[in-house]
Amino acid sequence: MKNTNLKLNKIKLIARLMVVILLITTLLNLSGCIFRSTMVYDKEYYSHEEFVNIIEHYNSVNNGSVDTFISFNLDSNDIVSKGIYRFSLITNNKGLIQKYGFLDIYDEFYRVKQLYYLNDTQYKILYHYDRNQARQEFKQDDKIEIRISDKTQCNSFSHDLDYHESFNTTSYIDEEGKVQVEELYTRMYNYAYYCELYINDMECGCIHISSKLEMSTEKFEEIFKLLLDNIVIINTEG
């Protein structure tokens, strides 16, 4: 009788193990499908016209809710030596994306970063916002202002981007024989200031202003005027 009970217990244990293995396999397969279907779009544009074109394409097919994008058209301004417009988004509809391209209807999240160098890199302006800060329907004649903040940087920045133009990497072998990668930053600026853009008293992203020399009140006003005079509200619904 004891042998019979022992055999039954072993059979039950094996059955339970098989169920657990089956569940784990199913979860791994599901997670694999999820990760395989996720696609990331991350690209830089070097003119305002290119940036507007990609936004218009992105908004052209949507689920009835069209986001408003914010930009600054400084391409023809003499004191702006370089402008970079970066558009990043994540979607999990891989098949449709491959067929139709990146469109609002398939999107989960996006982020916009715009970078401008003034007076041959004497000043650097970095504007940043994500989808949560840009879903309102803004218009060009809305109340728009820039305010200086006591904060030091946007929480989403992983590096001290307001101080550094770019970075390179170098690799070496440590004492344990492992390969280590080290980031080498190029420090360009001695001062960095944090500001926020508001539209109709709603925060719509943060602005970092970096400078090689300490900025005066008059310089802040000059840069604010430059941005506000050239802000573009991209509302494809008109």
PDB file of all heavy atoms in Angstrom, residues 221-236:
ATOM      1  N   GLU A 221      16.475  87.362 -22.110  1.00  0.00           N
ATOM      2  CA  GLU A 221      15.368  87.988 -22.828  1.00  0.00           C
ATOM      3  C   GLU A 221      15.567  87.883 -24.339  1.00  0.00           C
ATOM      4  O   GLU A 221      14.612  87.647 -25.094  1.00  0.00           O
ATOM      5  CB  GLU A 221      15.233  89.452 -22.401  1.00  0.00           C
ATOM      6  CG  GLU A 221      14.776  89.618 -20.957  1.00  0.00           C
ATOM      7  CD  GLU A 221      14.752  91.074 -20.513  1.00  0.00           C
ATOM      8  OE1 GLU A 221      15.229  91.927 -21.310  1.00  0.00           O
ATOM      9  OE2 GLU A 221      14.263  91.350 -19.406  1.00  0.00           O
ATOM     10  N   GLU A 222      16.807  88.025 -24.779  1.00  0.00           N
ATOM     11  CA  GLU A 222      17.113  87.925 -26.208  1.00  0.00           C
ATOM     12  C   GLU A 222      16.830  86.513 -26.738  1.00  0.00           C
ATOM     13  O   GLU A 222      16.229  86.346 -27.817  1.00  0.00           O
ATOM     14  CB  GLU A 222      18.583  88.284 -26.437  1.00  0.00           C
ATOM     15  CG  GLU A 222      19.022  88.200 -27.887  1.00  0.00           C
ATOM     16  CD  GLU A 222      20.517  88.453 -28.047  1.00  0.00           C
ATOM     17  OE1 GLU A 222      21.097  89.161 -27.194  1.00  0.00           O
ATOM     18  OE2 GLU A 222      21.098  87.924 -29.014  1.00  0.00           O
ATOM     19  N   ILE A 223      17.243  85.496 -25.985  1.00  0.00           N
ATOM     20  CA  ILE A 223      17.023  84.110 -26.419  1.00  0.00           C
ATOM     21  C   ILE A 223      15.546  83.746 -26.344  1.00  0.00           C
ATOM     22  O   ILE A 223      15.008  83.082 -27.244  1.00  0.00           O
ATOM     23  CB  ILE A 223      17.883  83.143 -25.586  1.00  0.00           C
ATOM     24  CG1 ILE A 223      19.365  83.330 -25.945  1.00  0.00           C
ATOM     25  CG2 ILE A 223      17.460  81.689 -25.823  1.00  0.00           C
ATOM     26  CD1 ILE A 223      20.313  82.454 -25.164  1.00  0.00           C
ATOM     27  N   PHE A 224      14.878  84.177 -25.279  1.00  0.00           N
ATOM     28  CA  PHE A 224      13.432  83.927 -25.178  1.00  0.00           C
ATOM     29  C   PHE A 224      12.687  84.535 -26.363  1.00  0.00           C
ATOM     30  O   PHE A 224      11.797  83.911 -26.947  1.00  0.00           O
ATOM     31  CB  PHE A 224      12.885  84.506 -23.868  1.00  0.00           C
ATOM     32  CG  PHE A 224      13.276  83.726 -22.640  1.00  0.00           C
ATOM     33  CD1 PHE A 224      14.077  82.609 -22.723  1.00  0.00           C
ATOM     34  CD2 PHE A 224      12.841  84.122 -21.383  1.00  0.00           C
ATOM     35  CE1 PHE A 224      14.443  81.896 -21.590  1.00  0.00           C
ATOM     36  CE2 PHE A 224      13.193  83.419 -20.246  1.00  0.00           C
ATOM     37  CZ  PHE A 224      14.000  82.312 -20.348  1.00  0.00           C
ATOM     38  N   LYS A 225      13.060  85.762 -26.719  1.00  0.00           N
ATOM     39  CA  LYS A 225      12.399  86.436 -27.847  1.00  0.00           C
ATOM     40  C   LYS A 225      12.668  85.682 -29.150  1.00  0.00           C
ATOM     41  O   LYS A 225      11.764  85.517 -29.997  1.00  0.00           O
ATOM     42  CB  LYS A 225      12.888  87.874 -27.959  1.00  0.00           C
ATOM     43  CG  LYS A 225      12.144  88.686 -29.027  1.00  0.00           C
ATOM     44  CD  LYS A 225      12.620  90.134 -29.046  1.00  0.00           C
ATOM     45  CE  LYS A 225      11.760  90.995 -29.969  1.00  0.00           C
ATOM     46  NZ  LYS A 225      11.666  90.458 -31.328  1.00  0.00           N
ATOM     47  N   LEU A 226      13.904  85.205 -29.314  1.00  0.00           N
ATOM     48  CA  LEU A 226      14.252  84.438 -30.507  1.00  0.00           C
ATOM     49  C   LEU A 226      13.362  83.203 -30.635  1.00  0.00           C
ATOM     50  O   LEU A 226      12.827  82.920 -31.716  1.00  0.00           O
ATOM     51  CB  LEU A 226      15.726  84.019 -30.433  1.00  0.00           C
ATOM     52  CG  LEU A 226      16.195  83.044 -31.518  1.00  0.00           C
ATOM     53  CD1 LEU A 226      16.251  83.727 -32.876  1.00  0.00           C
ATOM     54  CD2 LEU A 226      17.557  82.449 -31.142  1.00  0.00           C
ATOM     55  N   LEU A 227      13.183  82.487 -29.536  1.00  0.00           N
ATOM     56  CA  LEU A 227      12.370  81.271 -29.566  1.00  0.00           C
ATOM     57  C   LEU A 227      10.891  81.579 -29.785  1.00  0.00           C
ATOM     58  O   LEU A 227      10.229  80.948 -30.615  1.00  0.00           O
ATOM     59  CB  LEU A 227      12.558  80.487 -28.265  1.00  0.00           C
ATOM     60  CG  LEU A 227      13.959  79.903 -28.018  1.00  0.00           C
ATOM     61  CD1 LEU A 227      14.042  79.267 -26.642  1.00  0.00           C
ATOM     62  CD2 LEU A 227      14.316  78.888 -29.102  1.00  0.00           C
ATOM     63  N   LEU A 228      10.374  82.537 -29.047  1.00  0.00           N
ATOM     64  CA  LEU A 228       8.943  82.849 -29.139  1.00  0.00           C
ATOM     65  C   LEU A 228       8.567  83.456 -30.492  1.00  0.00           C
ATOM     66  O   LEU A 228       7.461  83.240 -30.992  1.00  0.00           O
ATOM     67  CB  LEU A 228       8.537  83.785 -28.001  1.00  0.00           C
ATOM     68  CG  LEU A 228       8.625  83.170 -26.591  1.00  0.00           C
ATOM     69  CD1 LEU A 228       8.330  84.211 -25.526  1.00  0.00           C
ATOM     70  CD2 LEU A 228       7.671  81.988 -26.460  1.00  0.00           C
ATOM     71  N   ASP A 229       9.493  84.211 -31.089  1.00  0.00           N
ATOM     72  CA  ASP A 229       9.220  84.792 -32.403  1.00  0.00           C
ATOM     73  C   ASP A 229       9.206  83.742 -33.507  1.00  0.00           C
ATOM     74  O   ASP A 229       8.653  83.970 -34.595  1.00  0.00           O
ATOM     75  CB  ASP A 229      10.261  85.860 -32.751  1.00  0.00           C
ATOM     76  CG  ASP A 229      10.042  87.151 -31.975  1.00  0.00           C
ATOM     77  OD1 ASP A 229       8.974  87.278 -31.358  1.00  0.00           O
ATOM     78  OD2 ASP A 229      10.948  88.020 -31.976  1.00  0.00           O
ATOM     79  N   ASN A 230       9.847  82.589 -33.241  1.00  0.00           N
ATOM     80  CA  ASN A 230       9.996  81.576 -34.277  1.00  0.00           C
ATOM     81  C   ASN A 230       9.344  80.232 -33.913  1.00  0.00           C
ATOM     82  O   ASN A 230       9.604  79.225 -34.571  1.00  0.00           O
ATOM     83  CB  ASN A 230      11.480  81.347 -34.567  1.00  0.00           C
ATOM     84  CG  ASN A 230      12.142  82.539 -35.206  1.00  0.00           C
ATOM     85  OD1 ASN A 230      12.036  82.756 -36.405  1.00  0.00           O
ATOM     86  ND2 ASN A 230      12.821  83.351 -34.382  1.00  0.00           N
ATOM     87  N   ILE A 231       8.494  80.236 -32.873  1.00  0.00           N
ATOM     88  CA  ILE A 231       7.807  79.000 -32.496  1.00  0.00           C
ATOM     89  C   ILE A 231       6.759  78.637 -33.562  1.00  0.00           C
ATOM     90  O   ILE A 231       6.133  79.515 -34.151  1.00  0.00           O
ATOM     91  CB  ILE A 231       7.163  79.122 -31.101  1.00  0.00           C
ATOM     92  CG1 ILE A 231       6.756  77.729 -30.598  1.00  0.00           C
ATOM     93  CG2 ILE A 231       5.983  80.076 -31.114  1.00  0.00           C
ATOM     94  CD1 ILE A 231       6.359  77.723 -29.128  1.00  0.00           C
ATOM     95  N   VAL A 232       6.641  77.354 -33.814  1.00  0.00           N
ATOM     96  CA  VAL A 232       5.668  76.846 -34.789  1.00  0.00           C
ATOM     97  C   VAL A 232       4.839  75.772 -34.119  1.00  0.00           C
ATOM     98  O   VAL A 232       5.372  74.801 -33.598  1.00  0.00           O
ATOM     99  CB  VAL A 232       6.367  76.258 -36.034  1.00  0.00           C
ATOM    100  CG1 VAL A 232       5.331  75.681 -37.002  1.00  0.00           C
ATOM    101  CG2 VAL A 232       7.221  77.313 -36.720  1.00  0.00           C
ATOM    102  N   ILE A 233       3.522  75.970 -34.109  1.00  0.00           N
ATOM    103  CA  ILE A 233       2.591  74.954 -33.601  1.00  0.00           C
ATOM    104  C   ILE A 233       2.132  74.128 -34.792  1.00  0.00           C
ATOM    105  O   ILE A 233       1.432  74.613 -35.673  1.00  0.00           O
ATOM    106  CB  ILE A 233       1.389  75.602 -32.894  1.00  0.00           C
ATOM    107  CG1 ILE A 233       1.860  76.565 -31.817  1.00  0.00           C
ATOM    108  CG2 ILE A 233       0.488  74.526 -32.309  1.00  0.00           C
ATOM    109  CD1 ILE A 233       2.698  75.947 -30.730  1.00  0.00           C
ATOM    110  N   ILE A 234       2.546  72.873 -34.834  1.00  0.00           N
ATOM    111  CA  ILE A 234       2.226  71.991 -35.967  1.00  0.00           C
ATOM    112  C   ILE A 234       0.916  71.265 -35.648  1.00  0.00           C
ATOM    113  O   ILE A 234       0.891  70.251 -34.958  1.00  0.00           O
ATOM    114  CB  ILE A 234       3.351  70.987 -36.228  1.00  0.00           C
ATOM    115  CG1 ILE A 234       4.691  71.715 -36.380  1.00  0.00           C
ATOM    116  CG2 ILE A 234       3.057  70.163 -37.482  1.00  0.00           C
ATOM    117  CD1 ILE A 234       5.887  70.794 -36.489  1.00  0.00           C
ATOM    118  N   ASN A 235      -0.171  71.842 -36.133  1.00  0.00           N
ATOM    119  CA  ASN A 235      -1.499  71.266 -35.931  1.00  0.00           C
ATOM    120  C   ASN A 235      -2.036  70.893 -37.306  1.00  0.00           C
ATOM    121  O   ASN A 235      -2.526  71.744 -38.044  1.00  0.00           O
ATOM    122  CB  ASN A 235      -2.417  72.269 -35.222  1.00  0.00           C
ATOM    123  CG  ASN A 235      -3.741  71.671 -34.832  1.00  0.00           C
ATOM    124  OD1 ASN A 235      -4.191  70.705 -35.440  1.00  0.00           O
ATOM    125  ND2 ASN A 235      -4.370  72.217 -33.807  1.00  0.00           N
ATOM    126  N   THR A 236      -1.927  69.620 -37.671  1.00  0.00           N
ATOM    127  CA  THR A 236      -2.285  69.198 -39.018  1.00  0.00           C
ATOM    128  C   THR A 236      -3.777  69.210 -39.273  1.00  0.00           C
ATOM    129  O   THR A 236      -4.232  69.031 -40.407  1.00  0.00           O
ATOM    130  CB  THR A 236      -1.731  67.795 -39.304  1.00  0.00           C
ATOM    131  OG1 THR A 236      -2.217  66.879 -38.312  1.00  0.00           O
ATOM    132  CG2 THR A 236      -0.229  67.782 -39.270  1.00  0.00           C
TER     133      THR A 236
END
